[in-house]
PDB file of all heavy atoms in Angstrom:
ATOM      1  N   HIS A1423       1.539   3.389 -24.075  1.00 90.00           N
ATOM      2  CA  HIS A1423       2.210   4.383 -24.852  1.00 90.00           C
ATOM      3  C   HIS A1423       3.690   4.029 -25.044  1.00 90.00           C
ATOM      4  O   HIS A1423       4.652   4.871 -25.079  1.00 90.00           O
ATOM      5  CB  HIS A1423       2.098   5.844 -24.193  1.00 90.00           C
ATOM      6  CG  HIS A1423       0.755   6.268 -23.968  1.00 90.00           C
ATOM      7  ND1 HIS A1423      -0.128   6.539 -24.896  1.00 90.00           N
ATOM      8  CD2 HIS A1423       0.007   6.381 -22.846  1.00 90.00           C
ATOM      9  CE1 HIS A1423      -1.311   6.960 -24.497  1.00 90.00           C
ATOM     10  NE2 HIS A1423      -1.255   6.823 -23.180  1.00 90.00           N
ATOM     11  N   PHE A1464       1.483  -1.551 -34.125  1.00 93.00           N
ATOM     12  CA  PHE A1464       1.308  -3.006 -34.298  1.00 93.00           C
ATOM     13  C   PHE A1464      -0.179  -3.288 -34.323  1.00 93.00           C
ATOM     14  O   PHE A1464      -0.827  -3.347 -33.339  1.00 93.00           O
ATOM     15  CB  PHE A1464       1.961  -3.763 -33.115  1.00 93.00           C
ATOM     16  CG  PHE A1464       3.459  -3.565 -32.832  1.00 93.00           C
ATOM     17  CD1 PHE A1464       3.861  -2.678 -31.942  1.00 93.00           C
ATOM     18  CD2 PHE A1464       4.277  -4.205 -33.717  1.00 93.00           C
ATOM     19  CE1 PHE A1464       5.172  -2.403 -31.680  1.00 93.00           C
ATOM     20  CE2 PHE A1464       5.712  -3.939 -33.535  1.00 93.00           C
ATOM     21  CZ  PHE A1464       6.120  -3.097 -32.532  1.00 93.00           C
ATOM     22  N   GLU A1500     -26.133  -9.765  -1.082  1.00 82.00           N
ATOM     23  CA  GLU A1500     -27.253  -8.855  -1.430  1.00 82.00           C
ATOM     24  C   GLU A1500     -27.666  -9.012  -2.918  1.00 82.00           C
ATOM     25  O   GLU A1500     -28.874  -8.982  -3.222  1.00 82.00           O
ATOM     26  CB  GLU A1500     -27.052  -7.381  -1.083  1.00 82.00           C
ATOM     27  CG  GLU A1500     -26.853  -7.062   0.376  1.00 82.00           C
ATOM     28  CD  GLU A1500     -26.688  -5.634   0.712  1.00 82.00           C
ATOM     29  OE1 GLU A1500     -26.683  -4.810  -0.324  1.00 82.00           O
ATOM     30  OE2 GLU A1500     -26.644  -5.300   1.884  1.00 82.00           O
ATOM     31  N   ARG A1515     -45.077 -14.401 -12.419  1.00 87.00           N
ATOM     32  CA  ARG A1515     -45.773 -13.670 -13.445  1.00 87.00           C
ATOM     33  C   ARG A1515     -46.142 -14.614 -14.574  1.00 87.00           C
ATOM     34  O   ARG A1515     -47.331 -14.578 -15.159  1.00 87.00           O
ATOM     35  CB  ARG A1515     -44.971 -12.522 -14.028  1.00 87.00           C
ATOM     36  CG  ARG A1515     -44.835 -11.333 -13.117  1.00 87.00           C
ATOM     37  CD  ARG A1515     -44.300 -10.169 -13.838  1.00 87.00           C
ATOM     38  NE  ARG A1515     -43.124 -10.296 -14.656  1.00 87.00           N
ATOM     39  CZ  ARG A1515     -41.918 -10.182 -14.113  1.00 87.00           C
ATOM     40  NH1 ARG A1515     -41.742  -9.857 -12.958  1.00 87.00           N
ATOM     41  NH2 ARG A1515     -40.842 -10.462 -14.929  1.00 87.00           N
ATOM     42  N   GLU A1580      -0.893  18.342  18.848  1.00 66.00           N
ATOM     43  CA  GLU A1580      -1.106  19.592  19.437  1.00 66.00           C
ATOM     44  C   GLU A1580      -0.775  19.529  20.936  1.00 66.00           C
ATOM     45  O   GLU A1580      -0.076  20.300  21.546  1.00 66.00           O
ATOM     46  CB  GLU A1580      -2.469  20.224  19.295  1.00 66.00           C
ATOM     47  CG  GLU A1580      -2.803  20.673  17.854  1.00 66.00           C
ATOM     48  CD  GLU A1580      -4.192  21.091  17.669  1.00 66.00           C
ATOM     49  OE1 GLU A1580      -4.907  21.137  18.749  1.00 66.00           O
ATOM     50  OE2 GLU A1580      -4.642  21.446  16.595  1.00 66.00           O
ATOM     51  N   LEU A1582       1.045  17.230  22.463  1.00 65.00           N
ATOM     52  CA  LEU A1582       2.469  16.879  22.523  1.00 65.00           C
ATOM     53  C   LEU A1582       3.343  18.174  22.420  1.00 65.00           C
ATOM     54  O   LEU A1582       4.202  18.356  23.164  1.00 65.00           O
ATOM     55  CB  LEU A1582       2.871  15.877  21.466  1.00 65.00           C
ATOM     56  CG  LEU A1582       4.193  15.195  21.718  1.00 65.00           C
ATOM     57  CD1 LEU A1582       4.123  14.461  23.069  1.00 65.00           C
ATOM     58  CD2 LEU A1582       4.463  14.213  20.644  1.00 65.00           C
ATOM     59  N   LEU A1610      25.835  16.254  29.558  1.00 41.00           N
ATOM     60  CA  LEU A1610      24.606  16.042  28.846  1.00 41.00           C
ATOM     61  C   LEU A1610      24.795  16.445  27.353  1.00 41.00           C
ATOM     62  O   LEU A1610      24.252  15.863  26.442  1.00 41.00           O
ATOM     63  CB  LEU A1610      23.541  16.938  29.443  1.00 41.00           C
ATOM     64  CG  LEU A1610      22.105  16.883  28.793  1.00 41.00           C
ATOM     65  CD1 LEU A1610      21.580  15.444  28.835  1.00 41.00           C
ATOM     66  CD2 LEU A1610      21.227  17.799  29.486  1.00 41.00           C
ATOM     67  N   ALA A1666      13.648   8.681   6.473  1.00 90.00           N
ATOM     68  CA  ALA A1666      13.727   9.933   7.357  1.00 90.00           C
ATOM     69  C   ALA A1666      14.856  10.778   7.003  1.00 90.00           C
ATOM     70  O   ALA A1666      14.801  12.035   7.059  1.00 90.00           O
ATOM     71  CB  ALA A1666      13.839   9.584   8.751  1.00 90.00           C
ATOM     72  N   SER A1706      14.080  -8.852  22.760  1.00 92.00           N
ATOM     73  CA  SER A1706      14.213  -7.540  23.425  1.00 92.00           C
ATOM     74  C   SER A1706      15.086  -6.695  22.621  1.00 92.00           C
ATOM     75  O   SER A1706      16.152  -7.205  22.049  1.00 92.00           O
ATOM     76  CB  SER A1706      14.670  -7.649  24.814  1.00 92.00           C
ATOM     77  OG  SER A1706      13.762  -8.427  25.609  1.00 92.00           O
ATOM     78  N   HIS A1787      -0.348   6.170   4.725  1.00 84.00           N
ATOM     79  CA  HIS A1787      -1.274   5.364   3.984  1.00 84.00           C
ATOM     80  C   HIS A1787      -2.047   6.159   2.910  1.00 84.00           C
ATOM     81  O   HIS A1787      -2.466   5.733   1.899  1.00 84.00           O
ATOM     82  CB  HIS A1787      -2.200   4.657   4.924  1.00 84.00           C
ATOM     83  CG  HIS A1787      -1.763   3.231   5.178  1.00 84.00           C
ATOM     84  ND1 HIS A1787      -1.519   2.295   4.201  1.00 84.00           N
ATOM     85  CD2 HIS A1787      -1.594   2.617   6.424  1.00 84.00           C
ATOM     86  CE1 HIS A1787      -1.179   1.072   4.810  1.00 84.00           C
ATOM     87  NE2 HIS A1787      -1.152   1.367   6.188  1.00 84.00           N
TER      88      HIS A1787
END
Side-chain angles (χ1 to χ4, degrees):
H1423 303 291
F1464 300 101
E1500 288 188 1
R1515 290 197 306 272
E1580 290 177 3
L1582 197 56
L1610 180 61
S1706 299
H1787 264 303

